Amino acid sequence: MAATVFYLDDIPEPGAVAVLDGPEGRHAATVRRIRVGEPITLSDGRGLLADTEVVAAQRDRLELAVRNRGRVEPVSPQVTVVQALPKSDRSELAVELMTEAGADVIVPWQAARCVARWEAKADKGVGKWRAAARAAARQSRRAYIPEVTGLHRTPDLLTAVRAAKDAGAVVAALHESGTAKFTELPWDTAASAMLIVGPEGGVDEAELTALAQAGADVVLLGPTVLRTSTAAAVALGALGALTARW
């Protein structure tokens, strides 16, 4: 596959011409200055990849001859990251890092101790996270763009944890008070995984107790205390090494 990846919702059959326009086409033609004859990999963000070649280029639009296409199967276990809202200057960085590290689903969480508050601007915040996930997926050449869900409050999260456990997931709440180690959980037999990352001020004790009662394992990720914006990426890296994801 070609090195440059761009996303197009509907990729035509081999032999047809695909049109890349809108923000993706503008980025390809104007920012990246891609020209006729250059190869591009198209993805629908849902696992389909296509090798293409640019046959026409305008300021904000490319026409691409589709040479071949194929599907990339999702890795297992699928991983949902529940991310407590970081401070605004590190919020999108957290999404970028976990996308590059392989998160499949990203859940923004309004935890009790979050400095950031999304009550009146949840749609705007989710939109920014989705844009950050898409850009990071392109940068890391992913065939799948992570799903970013709507804002979850703690009752919503507890419901999601119970549902995940009922479906056979391993659910890990990453916290310095954990007595078990992250590496001790049965990741190799998990149907899916959920990683819960708290805010800068730490997970509130009542929330931590409620998460454990809902079925989450409170675990220690490593010997140091990580920033909320980097913890998910570190955990995903460890999970990749512990399972068949890598």
Side-chain angles (χ1 to χ4, degrees):
M1 291 292 176
T4 305
V5 176
F6 289 93
Y7 294 107
L8 185 65
D9 287 339
D10 296 310
I11 300 174
E13 297 282 346
V17 173
V19 175
L20 190 67
D21 54 12
E24 291 284 296
R26 191 174 306 110
H27 183 80
T30 302
V31 179
R32 297 294 298 272
R33 298 185 179 182
I34 294 172
R35 298 293 180 257
V36 172
E38 293 189 45
I40 283 182
T41 297
L42 287 181
S43 172
D44 64 356
R46 302 182 299 277
L48 187 65
L49 290 177
D51 283 330
T52 74
E53 182 180 323
V54 180
V55 294
Q58 300 175 22
R59 186 175 62 180
D60 57 358
R61 166 190 170 108
L62 297 179
E63 294 181 15
L64 310 161
V66 179
R67 304 305 187 198
N68 57 70
R69 68 179 194 175
R71 181 162 298 279
V72 176
E73 294 302 319
V75 295
S76 182
Q78 292 279 284
V79 181
T80 295
V81 176
V82 178
Q83 174 68 59
L85 305 181
K87 296 176 183 177
S88 59
D89 61 337
R90 303 186 70 85
S91 184
E92 289 166 51
L93 172 63
V95 175
E96 292 169 3
L97 291 175
M98 71 179 76
T99 298
E100 292 171 7
D104 300 298
V105 180
I106 300 171
V107 179
W109 173 31
Q110 186 72 73
R113 292 182 180 173
C114 285
V115 175
R117 313 302 299 181
W118 277 15
E119 282 87 352
K121 52 183 180 181
D123 290 344
K124 182 178 180 181
V126 169
K128 286 184 175 180
W129 279 31
R130 286 174 178 163
R134 185 183 185 93
R138 181 196 298 126
Q139 175 67 31
S140 51
R141 303 173 191 170
R142 288 189 54 170
Y144 289 87
I145 300 172
E147 174 192 356
V148 178
T149 74
L151 179 66
H152 278 47
R153 293 166 178 82
T154 298
D156 306 319
L157 175 55
L158 296 176
T159 298
V161 169
R162 295 187 191 99
K165 291 296 293 184
D166 288 344
V170 171
V171 180
L174 311 179
H175 196 267
E176 60 185 0
S177 69
T179 55
K181 294 181 179 180
F182 182 88
T183 53
E184 294 172 345
L185 296 181
W187 300 114
D188 56 343
T189 59
S192 58
M194 178 182 285
L195 307 176
I196 302 173
V197 179
E200 283 94 347
V203 181
D204 180 83
E205 287 299 324
E207 288 177 328
L208 198 61
T209 298
L211 286 168
Q213 291 174 344
D217 292 296
V218 180
V219 296
L220 190 64
L221 178 58
T224 59
V225 176
L226 300 169
R227 287 181 179 269
T228 186
S229 54
T230 56
V234 172
L236 284 159
L239 191 56
L242 292 168
T243 67
R245 285 176 60 88
W246 284 7

